[in-house]
């Protein structure tokens, strides 16, 4: 089976973790690895502050928490995303308003935002889905016009750029994940980025139980979302490799684009002229003339040794959000269709051209009328 993802852990990562262990940097409150990881990540992005935390979800919770919004207020969130984006709002008593996707990049449709802004709307959370950035120049103009805060969910977009500027440097906050399958990884982990000194301080405070002076006296409800030093040590090595990893992912995407454009009925991922797509996962959408349902294709590919995953179930279809008091009904027909017809293919950075040709061949086999006779 060709897996959807295969983490690449080098000898350098192993050495860095062992060395942090030998220095006793095992927790999240001391040692050199955490500040080093934060500095190198901020330098890579070209932003002022980066605060390491223990997951992408934790990063989103802190970013939303730091805005200090009131229960019942609303955040516009990309409909097609990981539930973690919406849960960051949910756990603060805030209402998620899903924004439908646009058809080309599958990111939130900027043309729909203004009609969704209501008297309780306070923030927008755009998600840079599968590594293609949202047009943040345009989104920031809309946000500024309506005085909305912006939290970028960059869990899938490390290194993606908009007119040369990195995602995670536009909004009040960028939130990154370093889960095993993300562009770079620390096993589990996350980062909050910001250019605002006060907001950075607030995130650091909330990350560590909001300790102030005198010690053990607390004015605010903080969290323990600290990243352990061990993982930060791995992160430092991974940041050093990020451009190589992105080059590999872009090479994989190029091989796929070349091979799959010969197959009718497939919508391939876009890269708009102003964007750098990092192709976190190589995703495709089946058009009606493909002749097979998405689920049938996935089942057939599994039989042929190719692992795949569906797109996200959109936020407008999530019972946990719909049952929340104050939920606003919003139709998201494009995100609904992506959930039904979208899937992503094996996307590990070490995939070879031969493997990708083979996956293309398997898709053709799965689609051919002969498949049922041979494999049925
Ligand atoms: C992975 C992911 C998250 C959550 O990150 P974790 O580190 O797994 O908590 C949030 N948002 C999106 C879009 C993701 O892909």
């Amino acid at each position: 089976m060709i897996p959807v993802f295969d983490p690449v852990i080098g000898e350098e990562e192993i050495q860095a973790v062992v060395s942090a262990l030998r220095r006793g940097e095992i927790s999240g409150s001391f040692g050199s690895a955490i500040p080093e990881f934060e500095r190198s990540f901020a330098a890579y992005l070209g932003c002022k502050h980066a605060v390491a935390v223990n997951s992408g979800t934790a990063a989103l919770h802190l970013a939303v928490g730091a805005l200090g919004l009131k229960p019942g207020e609303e955040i516009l969130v990309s409909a097609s995303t990981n539930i973690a984006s919406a849960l960051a709002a949910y756990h603060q008593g805030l209402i998620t308003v899903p924004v439908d996707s646009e058809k080309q990049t599958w990111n939130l449709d900027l043309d729909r935002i203004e009609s969704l802004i209501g008297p309780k709307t306070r923030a927008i959370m755009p998600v840079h889905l599968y590594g293609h950035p949202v047009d943040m120049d345009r989104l920031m103009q809309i946000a500024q016009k309506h005085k909305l805060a912006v939290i970028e969910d960059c869990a899938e977009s490390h290194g993606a750029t908009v007119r040369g500027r990195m995602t995670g440097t536009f909004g009040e906050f960028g939130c990154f994940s370093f889960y095993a399958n993300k562009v770079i990884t620390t096993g589990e982990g996350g980062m909050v980025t910001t250019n605002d000194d006060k907001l950075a301080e607030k995130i650091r405070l909330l990350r560590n139980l909001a300790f102030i002076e005198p010690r053990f006296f607390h004015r605010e409800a903080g969290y323990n979302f600290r990243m352990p030093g061990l993982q930060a040590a791995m992160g430092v090595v991974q940041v050093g490799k990020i451009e190589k990893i992105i080059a590999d992912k872009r090479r994989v995407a190029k091989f796929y684009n070349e091979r799959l454009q010969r197959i009718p009925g497939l919508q391939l991922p876009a890269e708009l002229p102003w964007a750098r797509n990092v192709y976190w996962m190589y995703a495709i959408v089946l058009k009606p003339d493909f002749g097979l349902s998405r689920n049938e294709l996935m089942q057939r590919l599994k039989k042929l040794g190719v692992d795949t995953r569906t797109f996200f179930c959109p936020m407008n279809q999530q019972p946990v959000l719909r049952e929340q008091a104050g939920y606003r009904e919003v139709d998201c027909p494009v995100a609904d269709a992506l959930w039904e017809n979208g899937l992503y293919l094996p996307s590990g950075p070490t995939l070879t051209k031969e493997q990708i040709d083979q996956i293309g061949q398997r898709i053709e086999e799965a689609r051919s009328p002969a498949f049922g006779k041979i494999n049925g």
Side-chain angles (χ1 to χ4, degrees):
M1 184 74 73
I2 305 180
V4 281
F5 189 76
D6 219 3
V8 185
I9 299 155
E11 194 52 41
E12 303 92 324
E13 282 86 341
I14 294 168
Q15 288 306 324
V17 171
V18 168
S19 144
L21 264 174
R22 290 198 198 288
R23 296 196 304 272
E25 294 188 19
I26 53 176
S27 84
S29 324
F30 48 83
S32 60
I34 298 161
E36 193 183 344
F37 183 31
E38 292 177 339
R39 271 195 306 272
S40 60
F41 196 73
Y44 171 70
L45 290 190
C47 73
K48 220 166 156 189
H49 303 279
V51 184
V53 293
N54 55 11
S55 72
T57 303
L60 291 163
H61 280 270
L62 289 182
V64 175
L67 295 179
L69 303 180
K70 292 191 200 69
E73 294 183 325
E74 296 172 348
I75 302 194
L76 305 183
V77 179
S78 299
S80 185
T81 185
N82 184 308
I83 191 72
S85 318
L87 289 183
Y90 181 91
H91 285 297
Q92 304 283 338
L94 304 170
I95 309 297
T96 296
V97 179
V99 184
D100 199 10
S101 318
E102 48 111 340
K103 287 180 177 159
Q104 212 182 0
T105 64
W106 313 318
N107 281 324
L108 83 174
D109 187 343
L110 298 181
D111 290 335
R112 288 177 192 258
I113 288 184
E114 291 199 277
S115 68
L116 292 171
I117 296 172
K120 292 184 177 171
T121 310
R122 297 290 176 268
I124 313 178
M125 187 188 289
V127 181
H128 307 291
L129 199 70
Y130 302 130
H132 193 294
V134 171
D135 184 347
M136 290 306 297
D137 291 316
R138 216 186 126 203
L139 185 138
M140 292 308 293
Q141 277 176 3
I142 299 170
Q144 274 150 18
K145 179 173 158 200
H146 296 275
K147 299 192 166 53
L148 303 177
V150 174
I151 297 172
E152 295 175 68
D153 184 336
C154 304
E156 307 180 358
S157 72
H158 319 53
T161 62
V162 178
R163 298 175 188 87
R165 181 168 163 190
M166 294 271 184
T167 60
T169 67
F170 290 86
E172 270 71 17
F173 296 111
C175 296
F176 292 81
S177 164
F178 305 118
Y179 177 68
N181 70 5
K182 302 297 163 118
V183 176
I184 59 170
T185 181
T186 61
E188 299 278 357
M191 193 77 85
V192 183
T193 58
T194 183
N195 284 313
D196 184 304
D197 299 346
K198 283 216 174 71
L199 290 177
E201 208 176 301
K202 180 99 184 174
I203 296 287
R204 289 185 187 284
L205 185 72
L206 292 176
R207 167 180 70 171
N208 188 25
L209 295 172
F211 274 107
I212 48 171
E213 291 298 326
R215 196 165 176 80
F216 304 126
F217 180 77
H218 298 266
R219 284 190 198 286
E220 282 186 85
Y223 307 84
N224 173 1
F225 285 163
R226 300 183 299 256
M227 170 181 277
L230 283 182
Q231 284 164 289
M234 179 171 175
V236 172
V237 179
Q238 284 270 298
V239 176
K241 293 181 173 179
I242 187 166
E243 281 299 317
K244 159 87 172 71
I245 295 169
I246 291 170
D248 285 342
K249 286 198 166 279
R250 289 181 57 82
R251 183 181 44 81
V252 164
K254 184 167 163 279
F255 291 151
Y256 268 125
N257 285 341
E258 285 164 8
R259 181 63 183 81
L260 300 188
Q261 70 192 8
R262 290 166 18 208
I263 305 176
L266 297 182
Q267 183 192 343
L268 306 183
E271 183 175 53
L272 297 188
W274 44 264
R276 174 163 86 153
N277 188 345
V278 294
Y279 299 98
W280 170 59
M281 290 291 170
Y282 190 89
I284 60 174
V285 177
L286 305 190
K287 297 192 266 193
D289 61 324
F290 185 74
L292 206 61
S293 78
R294 191 273 317 271
N295 288 349
E296 279 174 306
L297 175 63
M298 287 180 71
Q299 278 159 17
R300 290 181 178 194
L301 286 176
K302 189 148 234 167
K303 281 191 190 156
L304 295 170
V306 178
D307 205 14
T308 57
R309 295 279 186 283
T310 68
F311 270 49
F312 292 115
C313 175
M315 297 306 105
N316 54 300
Q317 291 194 37
Q318 300 289 353
V320 60
L321 303 176
R322 298 180 57 84
E323 287 159 15
Q324 193 184 5
Y327 179 78
R328 237 199 304 152
E329 193 68 46
V330 180
D331 287 339
C332 300
V334 179
D336 290 344
L338 293 174
W339 163 230
E340 201 165 307
N341 302 315
L343 71 156
Y344 60 80
L345 299 170
S347 304
T350 58
L351 282 174
T352 62
K353 185 167 189 305
E354 289 65 38
Q355 283 176 305
I356 289 163
D357 282 340
Q358 197 187 16
I359 293 166
Q361 217 167 9
R362 296 284 184 261
I363 294 173
E364 283 168 338
E365 272 172 57
R367 185 171 172 272
S368 92
F371 179 90
K373 294 185 194 120
I374 303 162
N375 297 281

